[in-house]
Amino acid sequence: MYGMLYESVQHYIQEEYGIETWKKICQIVDCKHNTFKTHQIYPDKLMPDIAAALSACTGESFDFCMNFFGKCFVRFFSNFGYDKMIRSTGRYFCDFLQSIDNIHLQMRFTYPKMKSPSMQLTNMDDNGAVILYRSGRTGMSKYLIGQMTEVAKEFYGLEMTAYVIESQNDISGGTAGPIKLSDGPLTVIVKYRLDFDNRDYMAKRVNIVAHPTQLMMPHVDLNVFLELFPFTIVLNHDMKITLAGEKIIETWILHNPGVNPKSFIGTHVMDVFKCRRPKDTKIDWTTILQMRTVLFEMELIRTGHNRAAYDKALTMDYENLDELSLNEAQTMALAKADEFEKEQVKEQAEAAASKEEIDPATGQRRPSVGLRSILLKGQMFYIKDVDSLIFLCSPLIENLDELHSIGLYLNDLNPHGLSRELVMAGWQHCSKLEIMFEKEEQRSDELEKSLELADSWKRQGDELLYSMIPRPIAERMRMGQEHVCQSFEEVSVIFIEVMNIYDSGSTNVQEAMQAVNTLNKVFSALDEEIISPFVYKVETVGMVYMAVSGAPDINPLHAQHACDLALRVIKKVKAHNLPDVAIRVGINSGPVVAGVVGMKVPRYCLFGDTVNTASRMESSCDPWKIQLSNYTAMKVREVGYKVEARGFVKVKGKGDMETYWLLEGPE
């Protein structure tokens, strides 16, 4: 499914329900895409997943959400100018319903990987119409209702209601009635009833009376008709070919050597053609009568090209197979087959000679030469005078290279149409279009790389910001909130000092550099032991490392987590075996005030007497020891931590304080 559908969903969810709702939906469906690219393919299942997530967030039903997405798409594609295409289909809503498949057919040039559904108008009356929907995707039936409702309202000023009459294989809708499948059990088939005011269309298009002068017009001989349109076949009620144009018979013989040329007439159309578009359509009289406004693409089935097949075609005694003689078209086709057989021998010799040639552009062997299948595009018309269907079509050819690859020439195309001019124009502009397309592809790749690089820079910037400021605080600042001071009733502050690293009286540069490297090793080891959100690293000042538990994320077990960190870092630094290096740790618990300070290099800082006391616990501590204040020691002793009374210690600014050594954690 192309990204434009998801772009419309993202835009209108953010507009109707807010950006926070969209972020929540992305978390629910595990969507990694910040934005969707219009021409990129995304998983089909993402659409119903987003609808289910929106339903969970808003309380609306799943069907309502899918209907809403369909309406969003119609509103959104007007930004691309596709509303003009919809308005150009006809004056009435039924004109649009009859042209949906043709619109999809034209859009495949812009979106070549589009898996479009097929829709046919099966019935019309003054109060609305009935359409039949076929698709390879499940769960999109309510999405289509939203699209139809919005198109009727925005482009035709009609209030329309739609409901499902019958459905099959549609997971979200279930089965409401029996419909016989034409192809494979995975095809979703849904029949809708659309209720709207259709009186104007019925009066001017359906219930119209023919003018008397039209009734007086003479009948046209079908042979004359087939001369004017050489790529035409006539079908009876059994969908068998009763007549065909000269060029189509000639092409069929050319592509099917070894087959009786007279067998083309009287053959079922699906025995010699494959219906490419509309897909999954049952080819019978009733169905085709309801699809007279739909463009069909039929691919000629061919048996292949080989020497034995041509020899068989040229030596076969057709006169003894049937009493009828070959007509002029079949005779010409056999002559052309003989001519092509000679060309084929020459091409095979050239292919054999170039078999080992390597294409310098691709580095691969050049492919062998051969005919391509011919694709015929046109409409099915019902001719009342002969009670037959006529497939009025032309070969689908883009340029001279393709013309030659299917075994045709310019004089084989209809002289009265634009087929020849279009082929010539395609040949002239093909190289220019290829160059332009390559440039656009290159620009698209460069833009995609730039977006990926921008995302990478953004992630790096976020990581750097979150290393300086706690994530919740940074998010609030991004939303424009002022720097907020926050008070915490109780946290545990940890100070860790690295000792014996550098002699302050030394003037040796090498010793100073060694001291920096050693300090970096110790602080890096301490960083590895910080487990967010239980403990947050506040800052490092000189040889001192400061951390806190209980802020900015409130944590009732702050004292235990602070002591666990202290025990881990003592063990970790000892394991490094750094000569003469030692650390000491001080911990105190109590209330603090925290906030972001500064504009140039903002920092998250803690303030209060609790911080000062924790600093004094560290400065009065012995190497490789963990000193706790009396309050912190009492808190952790209750939960099983082993502490030992140190006695009273004289603390600057505090006088004598009773402190404790932390020995080990609970068993």
Side-chain angles (χ1 to χ4, degrees):
M1 197 175 290
Y2 273 97
M4 187 169 73
L5 280 75
Y6 293 111
E7 281 184 299
S8 66
V9 169
Q10 179 182 9
H11 176 78
Y12 284 101
I13 286 180
Q14 292 179 348
E15 186 175 283
E16 295 284 337
Y17 299 99
I19 297 177
E20 292 302 319
T21 301
W22 172 252
K23 290 181 179 179
K24 190 182 297 183
I25 289 171
C26 290
Q27 291 177 352
I28 294 173
V29 302
D30 194 25
C31 178
K32 306 297 184 183
H33 308 286
N34 295 325
T35 58
F36 294 98
K37 300 173 184 177
T38 303
H39 292 274
Q40 185 169 323
I41 301 292
Y42 296 91
D44 291 347
K45 71 181 185 69
L46 190 56
M47 182 70 74
D49 287 351
I50 293 175
L54 179 62
S55 175
C57 293
T58 62
E60 302 286 358
S61 67
F62 174 83
D63 289 349
F64 172 88
C65 295
M66 290 298 289
N67 190 292
F68 170 68
F69 291 170
K71 294 179 179 179
C72 294
F73 178 68
V74 175
R75 297 176 201 163
F76 188 77
F77 67 49
S78 297
N79 299 326
F80 295 82
Y82 296 136
D83 56 325
K84 298 177 183 178
M85 181 186 297
I86 302 296
R87 297 180 194 275
S88 301
T89 55
R91 294 182 177 86
Y92 305 101
F93 185 52
C94 276
D95 292 330
F96 162 73
L97 294 177
Q98 292 175 333
S99 305
I100 293 175
D101 278 7
N102 297 340
I103 292 172
H104 287 153
L105 194 62
Q106 297 301 322
M107 293 302 296
R108 68 181 180 144
F109 296 106
T110 308
Y111 303 93
K113 296 181 181 179
M114 181 173 67
K115 299 176 182 177
S116 57
S118 174
M119 280 170 274
Q120 70 184 71
L121 191 62
T122 61
N123 190 27
M124 295 175 289
D125 54 47
D126 289 345
N127 298 317
V130 175
I131 62 171
L132 192 64
Y133 163 89
R134 291 183 177 87
S135 176
R137 294 189 178 99
T138 58
M140 299 294 288
S141 58
K142 300 301 184 295
Y143 185 89
L144 177 68
I145 291 177
Q147 289 180 318
M148 296 294 104
T149 305
E150 193 67 17
V151 168
K153 180 181 178 181
E154 290 296 323
F155 302 138
Y156 298 97
L158 296 174
E159 291 296 329
M160 190 205 80
T161 57
Y163 54 90
V164 176
I165 301 174
E166 303 172 7
S167 68
Q168 187 161 336
N169 293 330
D170 189 32
I171 293 176
S172 63
T175 301
I179 296 180
K180 187 177 180 181
L181 286 173
S182 60
D183 261 335
L186 297 179
T187 302
V188 176
I189 301 181
V190 184
K191 184 181 285 187
Y192 297 91
R193 170 67 192 183
L194 311 180
D195 289 335
F196 58 93
D197 186 359
N198 197 32
R199 289 173 294 181
D200 289 345
Y201 178 83
M202 296 298 292
K204 296 182 180 180
R205 291 292 181 91
V206 179
N207 301 326
I208 190 169
V209 179
H211 193 272
T213 56
Q214 292 179 316
L215 301 176
M216 296 170 59
M217 295 178 65
H219 297 292
V220 177
D221 189 350
L222 274 181
N223 290 324
V224 176
F225 189 84
L226 293 177
E227 287 181 8
L228 293 173
F229 304 99
F231 289 96
T232 301
I233 57 175
V234 182
L235 307 171
N236 61 14
H237 282 253
D238 297 327
M239 302 307 292
K240 292 185 177 180
I241 302 171
T242 57
L243 290 170
E246 173 186 328
K247 295 300 180 185
I248 206 163
I249 296 178
E250 182 180 333
T251 305
W252 179 77
I253 295 175
L254 182 65
H255 283 253
N256 293 274
V259 180
N260 183 0
K262 291 180 290 185
S263 66
F264 185 78
I265 304 299
T267 304
H268 193 280
V269 65
M270 296 311 293
D271 290 338
V272 291
F273 290 100
K274 177 184 177 183
C275 184
R276 291 277 301 273
R277 292 179 185 272
K279 293 182 178 180
D280 303 319
T281 300
K282 186 178 181 181
I283 305 298
D284 58 24
W285 181 266
T286 305
T287 304
I288 300 302
L289 281 180
Q290 297 170 348
M291 303 178 68
R292 283 174 286 173
T293 59
V294 175
L295 286 176
F296 283 80
E297 282 188 12
M298 309 291 279
E299 182 182 352
L300 190 67
I301 298 174
R302 60 196 185 105
T303 58
H305 304 281
N306 55 70
R307 182 66 176 271
Y310 277 102
D311 290 342
K312 184 179 180 181
L314 295 173
T315 59
M316 186 178 292
D317 185 7
Y318 294 112
E319 293 296 332
N320 295 328
L321 293 176
D322 195 54
E323 294 179 358
L324 298 175
S325 60
L326 297 178
N327 60 26
E328 183 181 356
Q330 294 167 343
T331 305
M332 292 175 61
L334 284 175
K336 193 166 185 177
D338 189 14
E339 177 187 348
F340 184 80
E341 189 261 349
K342 296 177 181 178
E343 293 181 2
Q344 190 76 1
V345 173
K346 182 180 178 181
E347 288 177 353
Q348 287 177 354
E350 293 176 354
S354 62
K355 186 176 180 181
E356 299 300 325
E357 287 188 22
I358 303 298
D359 190 339
T362 62
Q364 299 177 353
R365 291 183 179 178
R366 289 173 175 157
S368 60
V369 182
L371 284 185
R372 293 176 54 184
S373 297
I374 185 171
L375 200 63
L376 301 172
K377 178 180 177 181
Q379 281 183 265
M380 297 281 189
F381 293 95
Y382 173 68
I383 306 298
K384 186 176 181 181
D385 293 341
V386 293
D387 192 26
S388 298
L389 284 170
I390 292 185
F391 181 39
L392 190 61
C393 59
S394 297
L396 203 58
I397 303 168
E398 294 183 0
N399 51 51
L400 291 176
D401 294 334
E402 188 171 346
L403 181 73
H404 177 70
S405 69
I406 61 178
L408 294 177
Y409 297 91
L410 283 175
N411 63 350
D412 293 330
L413 305 180
N414 297 334
H416 50 77
L418 296 176
S419 300
R420 299 182 182 183
E421 287 77 4
L422 289 174
V423 171
M424 293 298 293
W427 172 68
Q428 291 171 0
H429 296 292
C430 184
S431 58
K432 293 182 180 179
L433 289 174
E434 286 180 354
I435 293 172
M436 291 174 62
F437 184 73
E438 288 175 0
K439 287 183 178 179
E440 289 302 320
E441 273 194 330
Q442 185 178 357
R443 290 175 184 172
S444 177
D445 292 340
E446 290 175 356
L447 180 60
E448 190 171 346
K449 290 179 181 178
S450 298
L451 289 173
E452 291 177 356
L453 190 58
D455 288 341
S456 174
W457 288 342
K458 184 178 182 299
R459 286 194 300 270
Q460 292 177 17
D462 288 344
E463 291 172 2
L464 180 60
L465 178 63
Y466 298 150
S467 68
M468 300 168 63
I469 302 173
R471 186 172 189 141
I473 307 298
E475 295 294 342
R476 271 185 270 169
M477 292 176 63
R478 274 182 172 170
M479 295 172 63
Q481 296 183 12
E482 297 292 333
H483 294 189
V484 179
C485 286
Q486 188 176 5
S487 61
F488 296 89
E489 292 183 2
E490 192 170 275
V491 301
S492 291
V493 181
I494 310 107
F495 279 91
I496 306 170
E497 184 181 3
V498 185
M499 306 172 66
N500 307 326
I501 280 188
Y502 179 61
D503 182 4
S504 59
S506 174
T507 58
N508 192 323
V509 175
Q510 187 174 1
E511 290 181 3
M513 293 178 65
Q514 185 177 356
V516 171
N517 291 333
T518 304
L519 190 62
N520 180 57
K521 289 181 182 179
V522 176
F523 282 174
S524 297
L526 301 184
D527 287 340
E528 292 174 0
E529 297 301 324
I530 296 292
I531 302 175
S532 178
F534 305 122
V535 182
Y536 176 75
K537 175 184 176 181
V538 179
E539 62 180 350
T540 58
V541 179
M543 308 293 180
V544 179
Y545 189 101
M546 179 182 177
V548 63
S549 179
D553 298 300
I554 297 174
N555 177 11
L557 304 178
H558 56 86
Q560 292 95 307
H561 289 145
C563 291
D564 289 341
L565 173 66
L567 292 169
R568 290 199 306 272
V569 298
I570 291 287
K571 184 178 179 181
K572 183 103 174 186
V573 176
K574 281 184 177 180
H576 277 70
N577 295 322
L578 299 173
D580 300 328
V581 173
I583 64 171
R584 58 187 181 185
V585 184
I587 303 175
N588 181 40
S589 303
V592 296
V593 173
V596 177
V597 177
M599 292 292 292
K600 291 291 185 181
V601 185
R603 301 297 304 180
Y604 184 70
C605 299
L606 304 179
F607 304 92
D609 185 64
T610 301
V611 179
N612 295 332
T613 303
S615 177
R616 297 292 181 262
M617 291 296 102
E618 174 269 313
S619 61
S620 61
C621 184
D622 294 340
W624 301 115
K625 293 283 188 177
I626 304 170
Q627 184 170 223
L628 309 179
S629 65
N630 180 38
Y631 181 68
T632 303
M634 295 304 103
K635 284 183 70 69
V636 297
R637 179 192 286 176
E638 294 174 358
V639 292
Y641 285 80
K642 293 183 180 181
V643 297
E644 179 184 279
R646 182 186 183 185
F648 287 88
V649 177
K650 190 171 184 178
V651 177
K652 183 179 179 182
K654 294 287 185 180
D656 292 337
M657 291 185 64
E658 186 178 11
T659 63
Y660 292 79
W661 300 122
L662 175 63
L663 302 180
E664 59 184 32
E667 295 180 358

